[in-house]
């Protein structure tokens, strides 16, 4: 199921798109974050499996949730 641009634009809650620099979807993650009204994309070191162990991942997640 594809989400339409209008459906993405209708999302009003803050959204964090968090990806590792080695991810294949990093470029599309930025576009996804831009399509959401309050979307943010943060890229951290690592890939799909190792990114979550980086200090930058925790900083980005905690910072996002703190707002």
């Amino acid at each position: 199921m594809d989400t339409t641009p209008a459906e993405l634009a209708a999302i009003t809650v803050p959204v964090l798109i968090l990806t590792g620099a080695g991810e294949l979807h990093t470029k599309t993650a930025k576009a996804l974050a831009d399509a959401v009204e309050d979307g943010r994309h943060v890229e951290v070191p690592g890939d799909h499996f190792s990114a979550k162990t980086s200090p930058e991942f925790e900083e980005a997640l905690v910072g996002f949730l703190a707002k």
Side-chain angles (χ1 to χ4, degrees):
M1 175 179 190
D2 291 331
T3 306
T4 67
E7 290 170 324
L8 291 172
I11 297 171
T12 58
V13 296
V15 175
L16 176 64
I17 311 296
L18 187 53
T19 60
E23 288 284 333
L24 297 175
H25 301 291
T26 297
K27 292 178 185 176
T28 55
K30 172 78 170 106
L32 176 59
D34 289 345
V36 176
E37 182 179 324
D38 193 7
R40 266 174 264 173
H41 173 244
V42 177
E43 184 179 287
V44 298
D47 59 22
H48 184 75
F49 299 102
S50 64
K52 63 185 171 215
T53 64
S54 74
E56 293 90 347
F57 180 93
E58 185 177 333
E59 288 173 23
L61 185 57
V62 170
F64 175 77
L65 293 173
K67 291 186 178 190

